[in-house]
Amino acid sequence: MSSRQNPEIMTLEKGCELIDAAVTKLKRILEGKPEPAFLSEEYIGYYTAVYNMCTQKPPHDLSQQLYDKYRGIFEDYDTHTVLPSIMEKHDEYMLRELSRRWDINKPMVKWLTRFFFYLNRFFTARRSLPTLTEVGMTSFRDHVYNNVHFNVKQVIIAMIHKEREGQQIDRALLKNVLDIFVQNGMGSLERYEGDFEVFFLKETASYYSRRSSRWIQEDSCPEYMIKCEESLKKEKERVTHYLHSDTEPKLVEIVQSHLLVLVAKQLLEKENSGCSALLREDKTDDLSRMYRLYHAIPNGLEPVAEAFRLHVTAEGNALVKQAEDAATSGSVEEQVLVRKMIDLHDKYMVYVTDCFQNHTLFHKALKEAFEIFCNKKVAGSSSAELLATFCDNFFRKAANDKSSDDSTIEATIDSVVKLLDYISDKDLFAEFYRKKQARRLLFGKFNDDHERIILTKLKGQFGGQFTSKMEGMVTDMQLAKDHQTDFEEYIKNCNTGKPKGVDFTVTVLTTGFWPSYKTSDLNLPVEMVNCIESFKAYYETKTKHRRLVWIYSLGTCHLSARFDSKPIELIVSTYQAAVLCAFNNTERLTYQELLEQVNLSHEDLVRVLHSLSCAKYKFLNKQPASKTISKTDSFEFNSKFTDKMRRIKVPLPPVDDRKKVVEDVDKDRRYAIDASLVRIMKSRKVLPHQQLVSECVEQLSRMFKPDIKMIKKRIEDLITREYLERDTENPNTFKYVA
């Protein structure tokens, strides 16, 4: 009983003897020296000794002394054993020793923390002291790591350099050592970043700067990019195998900067192997690699897209130049030029979708490139006119070629719509297209399905207003068929005096849909007059509210001409027919007589007479025999005319209506600008001049590129017409007049 009431006091000396013996044994075990493992009784004994020393009543409580003893164990071991063993080694052997000592330190901290567990449980918490684990780790950091990290860092960087040069290194060792840098940060990457990473990244920048300088001189663009791709791949592998994951974005950025960004211009413009050469030689794999490499860099694709834009622009300009050169010897070959532009667009669209992964930058670059050369004039003809002429010829040919493939036709139509999107004067295209479409429809050179397909696509791309008149013309042609059927039925049922042997077809056009045509009071032969009167009578049965205006310039007649050798069927215009029929009752007529009898304008009569007496087919003999028509000429029917053909189409000299189309479009543009200005001012009420102009340009640029001078003129005109007024205090500000 007396021993329990008065337990023996555990002195510091006695306790330290036990602890020193345990530490010595633990060191020998961890260092791999022959030493038996701790028994359970031994562990319990050490724990109990510490417990007793900490629970004795003051002044015998030895908790502080034990805490200091614990720290001293590590400081002594790290200073006198661990550090010298590392410092005496060099290069890779130093790393191995550091790794070994770190691997000893961790279990040593763990075991001693167990022995001193009671101290850790109450004393450190009560005094807000670092835990025993922290004390053990901090000791290693302060007495070992801080003294070796510089040399260790040098060795690591040297080993990585060896690996970059193709030598084998111990990656597992580097992983272990770099983990020491991380773990000595005590929960942060401060030590890893400050003691290793910053130096490593600096060395990496220097290394790849040297590599870049050499490779850019020695290698072609594809070879250079392959090396870049391989270098980036290997650097990422280093992160996977031994570097910290946070290093990857910094490392990759440095490699990209030195291998790709800083030499981008030099690389992309390399002679015979740069971006242009790759595009020219269809090097899709290399272009895809270029995209992959630069896509990973912020704003890295911009120089690639710019190189792409310049190349496409150069190729397009070359096509325009070829067409210009070819046009000097004749008319513009719009079929060849537009087809080449379509092929060019298809070719580079494949690059955009496949090599450049449909990236918006490359779509924008392609658009900008095509906008440059698609808006250039070729031998005085605008691109809008050339594209409209291409469509006209294409649809005429497709209508005649029954074997043409619908999918091919639709693909061409798609391409035309894409090209039109690049042309700024879309309204000019619409007017030229409508003129040519009208002639196709009126002369039967069309396929209804093809006409409707392109109108559907144009409507989808540019809106219903763009195609409303064109759609109206196609609808008129369908209505004309119905009218013709009803007219023929009307003729059968009524004796209206239709001339025997005359087949008569009328196409009724809606004025607002069709281009404006010149009308004339042509004196028709009596047979034609009877036909017209019969149709008028029929049409009045259909509607009383519409007035028919006859456009003879668009008519076609089939005449049976009886020559001495044989009768020949002549396909002529109504004007030509009227002139030829004038010779039914007389052999000879002067120019003045024809002018009075037919009642044509001088210009039209000259064209008609030239086609009948001076062109390939001379149905009329002219006196005097010259190549020009004058007011003193006389004409007689050439009954001796002969030809191997039984049917002859007699063309009229073409009239160049380009000037009139441009004038019509300019007039429409003035109306469009007026409407836009009034719309803007009606909603905004008050606007400064510059803002009004810019908003007007923005509204109208979808259809055409408005001229700033014209906008200013229209503003002045609207002020005159009292739609707008200037602000009295600020003349550059306009007000809407309600």
Side-chain angles (χ1 to χ4, degrees):
M1 289 291 289
S2 60
S3 62
R4 288 184 183 178
Q5 291 173 352
N6 300 296
E8 185 181 351
I9 299 298
M10 174 73 78
T11 62
L12 182 61
E13 291 76 14
K14 188 176 179 183
C16 285
E17 274 183 37
L18 277 170
I19 291 167
D20 288 341
V23 169
T24 302
K25 181 173 182 175
L26 178 60
K27 289 176 183 175
R28 290 179 60 80
I29 292 171
L30 294 175
E31 289 174 0
K33 295 176 181 176
E35 189 72 42
F38 284 107
L39 299 173
S40 299
E41 294 82 2
E42 289 179 286
Y43 167 71
I44 292 168
Y46 300 139
Y47 177 84
T48 303
V50 171
Y51 173 81
N52 290 334
M53 293 168 77
C54 291
T55 55
Q56 295 173 146
K57 291 182 179 179
H60 303 294
D61 181 356
L62 301 175
S63 297
Q64 182 64 53
Q65 290 86 335
L66 281 175
Y67 188 78
D68 295 339
K69 173 68 176 176
Y70 178 88
R71 179 188 285 111
I73 292 168
F74 280 101
E75 290 178 351
D76 180 70
Y77 182 65
D78 290 339
T79 305
H80 299 103
T81 304
V82 177
L83 182 60
S85 70
I86 296 171
M87 295 299 285
E88 67 185 15
K89 294 183 172 58
H90 304 283
D91 301 329
E92 193 173 326
Y93 299 103
M94 177 194 283
L95 302 192
R96 293 190 186 283
E97 184 63 18
L98 174 61
S99 178
R100 188 175 82 86
R101 289 297 177 178
W102 177 250
D103 289 342
I104 290 172
N105 186 70
K106 287 187 289 184
M108 186 171 171
V109 171
K110 182 181 175 183
W111 274 96
L112 287 181
T113 301
R114 285 180 180 175
F115 293 162
F116 288 78
F117 181 72
Y118 192 82
L119 188 70
N120 208 29
R121 186 176 177 189
F122 294 103
F123 178 74
T124 56
R126 207 178 296 132
R127 299 283 185 91
S128 300
L129 295 170
T131 64
L132 299 182
T133 302
E134 289 172 359
V135 170
M137 293 299 184
T138 305
S139 175
F140 188 91
R141 182 193 68 195
D142 294 345
H143 299 97
V144 179
Y145 173 83
N146 285 351
N147 289 302
V148 302
H149 71 74
F150 181 82
N151 292 338
V152 169
K153 172 259 297 178
Q154 298 286 73
V155 175
I156 294 172
I157 289 175
M159 289 178 70
I160 293 173
H161 180 77
K162 284 182 182 178
E163 187 181 41
R164 284 173 174 159
E165 293 297 316
Q167 297 182 39
Q168 292 289 324
I169 63 167
D170 189 342
R171 286 178 161 182
L173 174 61
L174 286 191
K175 171 71 174 168
N176 292 338
V177 174
L178 286 171
D179 279 347
I180 297 171
F181 280 75
V182 174
Q183 291 171 35
N184 274 276
M186 303 297 178
S188 80
L189 291 176
E190 185 181 345
R191 293 286 178 169
Y192 172 81
E193 291 171 350
D195 296 340
F196 167 73
E197 187 184 72
V198 66
F199 299 99
F200 167 68
L201 294 176
K202 187 177 178 182
E203 168 57 28
T204 299
S206 176
Y207 177 83
Y208 281 109
S209 178
R210 295 192 302 273
R211 281 285 172 272
S212 171
S213 300
R214 199 177 83 202
W215 292 347
I216 201 72
Q217 297 298 328
E218 297 174 353
D219 300 324
S220 66
C221 179
E223 290 167 343
Y224 185 94
M225 289 192 298
I226 289 170
K227 288 182 177 179
C228 290
E229 198 167 47
E230 188 64 26
S231 296
L232 282 164
K233 180 185 171 187
K234 286 181 176 177
E235 294 302 331
K236 288 176 182 177
E237 284 177 1
R238 287 185 183 99
V239 175
T240 305
H241 286 103
Y242 51 81
L243 297 171
H244 192 274
S245 58
D246 280 15
T247 303
E248 182 170 342
K250 305 171 196 172
L251 177 61
V252 167
E253 184 184 356
I254 284 173
V255 178
Q256 288 171 335
S257 175
H258 286 278
L259 290 187
L260 295 167
V261 177
L262 296 177
V263 297
K265 183 174 171 57
Q266 203 174 344
L267 179 64
L268 298 175
E269 294 177 3
K270 255 186 174 291
E271 194 174 356
N272 302 323
S273 70
C275 189
S276 288
L278 299 180
L279 289 164
R280 196 166 51 245
E281 295 165 16
D282 199 25
K283 302 284 188 182
T284 53
D285 289 344
D286 293 321
L287 288 167
S288 297
R289 182 176 291 109
M290 183 179 285
Y291 174 82
R292 287 197 304 273
L293 287 170
Y294 279 96
H295 180 252
I297 303 169
N299 303 321
L301 286 174
E302 289 179 3
V304 183
E306 179 61 11
F308 176 68
R309 185 186 71 79
L310 292 173
H311 175 79
V312 177
T313 303
E315 291 231 340
N317 285 336
L319 291 183
V320 174
K321 180 73 166 59
Q322 285 175 14
E324 283 271 9
D325 295 342
T328 55
S329 56
S331 61
V332 179
E333 296 178 344
E334 71 282 326
Q335 295 300 110
V336 177
L337 175 61
V338 175
R339 179 57 67 184
K340 283 183 176 178
M341 283 189 173
I342 288 172
D343 293 342
L344 188 74
H345 188 270
D346 291 345
K347 175 185 174 182
Y348 287 112
M349 185 53 79
V350 170
Y351 287 120
V352 171
T353 53
D354 294 351
C355 299
F356 304 134
Q357 302 295 305
N358 261 327
H359 196 282
T360 52
L361 265 181
F362 292 91
H363 277 289
K364 182 171 177 279
L366 187 68
K367 182 175 186 290
E368 288 175 355
F370 268 78
E371 282 174 347
I372 291 170
F373 58 81
C374 278
N375 286 294
K376 288 191 172 181
K377 286 193 172 185
V378 180
S381 297
S382 68
S383 52
E385 181 186 355
L386 294 175
L387 190 60
T389 307
F390 171 85
C391 292
D392 185 50
N393 292 332
F394 175 75
F395 284 129
R396 285 173 182 272
K397 185 178 176 183
N400 293 329
D401 186 4
K402 304 301 179 186
S403 63
S404 56
D405 181 30
D406 285 348
S407 61
T408 306
I409 289 170
E410 190 162 352
T412 302
I413 291 171
D414 284 333
S415 298
V416 165
V417 174
K418 285 175 190 168
L419 283 186
L420 179 57
D421 202 26
Y422 302 129
I423 293 174
S424 56
D425 296 332
K426 296 177 181 63
D427 57 343
L428 192 59
F429 166 85
E431 193 60 26
F432 274 118
Y433 182 87
R434 193 164 66 96
K435 282 259 184 186
K436 294 174 187 299
Q437 181 195 22
R439 294 192 69 80
R440 283 200 307 278
L441 297 176
L442 291 172
F443 296 106
K445 305 289 185 182
F446 73 99
N447 178 301
D448 192 64
D449 290 339
H450 300 164
E451 299 291 342
R452 291 186 185 278
I453 287 170
I454 190 169
L455 291 181
T456 301
K457 293 184 183 294
L458 288 172
K459 186 176 182 179
Q461 187 72 12
F462 305 112
Q465 190 177 352
F466 188 78
T467 57
S468 59
K469 291 181 180 179
M470 304 173 199
E471 289 175 308
M473 291 196 296
V474 175
T475 303
D476 274 356
M477 296 310 295
Q478 184 58 49
L479 293 174
K481 287 182 183 177
D482 299 339
H483 273 307
Q484 187 62 28
T485 305
D486 292 348
F487 174 57
E488 289 172 2
E489 192 66 33
Y490 171 83
I491 292 297
K492 282 182 186 176
N493 297 334
C494 306
N495 288 323
T496 56
K498 176 184 173 184
K500 188 178 178 183
V502 177
D503 290 322
F504 185 54
T505 303
V506 178
T507 305
V508 180
L509 314 179
T510 306
T511 305
F513 296 150
W514 296 76
S516 57
Y517 296 106
K518 186 166 68 174
T519 57
S520 62
D521 292 328
L522 178 68
N523 289 334
L524 294 171
V526 64
E527 297 87 350
M528 294 186 188
V529 172
N530 290 341
C531 291
I532 285 173
E533 291 301 325
S534 63
F535 188 84
K536 279 182 180 177
Y538 152 75
Y539 199 70
E540 283 177 2
T541 65
K542 294 290 181 182
T543 177
K544 301 284 186 186
H545 307 294
R546 291 185 181 177
R547 185 172 65 89
L548 290 175
V549 177
W550 295 85
I551 305 170
Y552 302 122
S553 59
L554 297 176
T556 303
C557 295
H558 291 244
L559 299 180
S560 178
R562 295 184 176 89
F563 298 103
D564 292 348
S565 58
K566 61 179 179 182
I568 298 176
E569 183 181 340
L570 303 181
I571 304 171
V572 293
S573 71
T574 306
Y575 286 178
Q576 290 171 319
V579 170
L580 287 172
C581 287
F583 288 90
N584 276 338
N585 301 319
T586 182
E587 288 291 322
R588 187 180 186 86
L589 287 168
T590 65
Y591 176 88
Q592 283 302 130
E593 289 170 337
L594 279 169
L595 190 66
E596 293 168 8
Q597 190 169 330
V598 180
N599 196 30
L600 274 175
S601 67
H602 171 68
E603 293 79 8
D604 288 333
L605 185 57
V606 166
R607 284 176 64 234
V608 171
L609 289 172
H610 190 278
S611 70
L612 298 175
S613 63
C614 302
K616 181 179 178 182
Y617 304 110
K618 295 178 174 58
F619 305 114
L620 301 177
N621 289 325
K622 184 174 85 72
Q623 292 295 331
S626 63
K627 290 291 183 182
T628 57
I629 306 295
S630 68
K631 294 181 179 180
T632 57
D633 290 345
S634 61
F635 303 86
E636 64 179 34
F637 181 68
N638 181 14
S639 59
K640 306 293 185 195
F641 177 84
T642 186
D643 194 271
K644 62 181 180 180
M645 305 295 290
R646 290 196 170 273
R647 176 184 286 184
I648 297 174
K649 184 173 184 181
V650 187
L652 262 175
V655 178
D656 186 6
D657 57 358
R658 180 188 301 166
K659 186 178 178 183
K660 184 177 183 305
V661 171
V662 172
E663 286 173 356
D664 289 345
V665 169
D666 281 343
K667 188 164 66 175
D668 290 342
R669 285 182 179 180
R670 288 198 292 274
Y671 296 147
I673 292 170
D674 284 355
S676 175
L677 290 168
V678 170
R679 268 198 311 272
I680 293 165
M681 290 304 298
K682 194 172 183 179
S683 64
R684 305 294 289 276
K685 305 302 181 191
V686 179
L687 265 187
H689 175 269
Q690 194 60 42
Q691 193 174 345
L692 176 58
V693 171
S694 62
E695 286 194 27
C696 181
V697 170
E698 187 180 347
Q699 272 195 14
L700 298 173
S701 58
R702 184 166 169 77
M703 281 301 111
F704 65 94
K705 193 173 181 180
D707 180 42
I708 304 299
K709 289 181 181 177
M710 186 186 282
I711 294 175
K712 290 179 179 177
K713 282 183 182 177
R714 300 320 304 158
I715 291 173
E716 294 300 328
D717 187 65
L718 289 171
I719 291 172
T720 306
R721 289 153 58 195
E722 297 184 352
Y723 283 93
L724 308 179
E725 65 180 12
R726 292 185 186 275
D727 187 89
T728 51
E729 295 180 3
N730 187 353
N732 276 332
T733 299
F734 301 106
K735 292 180 179 179
Y736 177 68
V737 180

